[in-house]
Amino acid sequence: MIPSEIADTLTELFGTETVGAIAPGSWQVETATFRLLVMLSDDESWLRVLLPIMPASEAQPFLEQFLEANFDDTQEVRYALQQGVIWGVFQHSSGSLTAEDLRGAIARLISLHQNGLNNVFNRLIEKRIRQIIQAAKQQGQSLEATMQNLDRFYAEGLMGEIDQTSQAREEVLGVWRYQLERLWNEIQ
């Protein structure tokens, strides 16, 4: 893609009022919910599209999950860390880039931005649940015994919120049961 094709694609996606050229070969898309940066390399051979996701300080506990997502889930885009920010990044040779590729990458970057920590948090929670199942099985516990332990931990206040209502506790335990049942047979 040449610069004019990139500009046209951005305008097609976002409109003329939100797309601005910030330098030759560089554009910024400013919306109410995000700021997307699109930059060509000096020799115009590579295109990079960047979207800030969150401050690195907020993401610190989940860095392993971000890297796992890069490996398993993000497809043509990646999470990256630069200047204290977690970014969604797409890089591609501009010579072989198509408008369809660029639109798809931008859509995926916006999805990463909208999801924020949700996907990586869920990945962390699933990892912890798998560890709980593995520990329970090593101790010879059944699924029901594991659920009884969790129920007791909530009843004794070791888990959950201090002012949690019984209805909220039952909802949380229902989610625990669902996750344990879903993963129980996958773990040896």
Side-chain angles (χ1 to χ4, degrees):
M1 291 184 81
I2 60 174
S4 62
E5 293 172 315
I6 295 167
D8 290 346
T9 301
L10 294 172
T11 301
E12 172 191 314
L13 287 171
F14 300 105
T16 55
E17 54 284 338
T18 58
V19 177
I22 53 178
S26 296
W27 301 265
Q28 178 173 287
V29 177
E30 189 83 37
T31 73
T33 55
F34 62 83
R35 185 183 54 159
L36 182 83
L37 301 171
V38 180
M39 299 177 290
L40 280 169
S41 62
D42 289 339
D43 66 359
E44 296 186 356
S45 64
W46 278 91
L47 177 78
R48 180 181 288 173
V49 183
L50 304 157
L51 183 60
I53 305 293
M54 69 186 51
S57 59
E58 292 177 24
Q60 187 67 37
F62 306 100
L63 290 180
E64 181 179 336
Q65 286 71 38
F66 278 112
L67 291 174
E68 287 174 354
N70 278 350
F71 191 81
D72 291 332
D73 301 328
T74 60
Q75 296 180 4
E76 75 273 25
V77 299
R78 295 284 177 260
Y79 289 107
L81 175 63
Q82 180 66 20
Q83 297 178 340
V85 175
I86 296 290
W87 297 81
V89 179
F90 170 72
Q91 296 184 119
H92 201 286
S93 168
S94 57
S96 61
L97 182 65
T98 67
E100 183 179 327
D101 292 335
L102 181 57
R103 283 192 293 270
I106 289 171
R108 187 162 302 282
L109 288 170
I110 292 170
S111 176
L112 292 181
H113 179 267
Q114 290 170 339
N115 285 326
L117 281 177
N118 290 341
N119 292 346
V120 293
F121 179 76
N122 290 339
R123 185 182 285 272
L124 176 64
I125 294 303
E126 183 168 314
K127 182 177 181 179
R128 297 291 189 250
I129 291 171
R130 288 177 180 276
Q131 289 171 337
I132 289 168
I133 292 170
Q134 188 173 28
K137 285 186 170 186
Q138 285 174 350
Q139 295 172 8
Q141 289 184 5
S142 66
L143 172 61
E144 280 309 312
T146 304
M147 269 311 298
Q148 287 172 357
N149 282 338
L150 288 171
D151 189 30
R152 183 175 53 85
F153 292 156
Y154 274 90
E156 294 173 359
L158 297 173
M159 293 177 76
E161 304 289 327
I162 284 223
D163 57 351
Q164 191 172 36
T165 65
S166 61
Q167 179 183 353
R169 188 177 110 212
E170 290 306 314
E171 288 174 8
V172 169
L173 286 170
V175 172
W176 271 105
R177 175 170 290 288
Y178 169 76
Q179 294 293 350
L180 288 172
E181 287 174 347
R182 182 176 71 85
L183 297 172
W184 190 265
N185 291 329
E186 290 182 20
I187 299 164
Q188 298 306 320

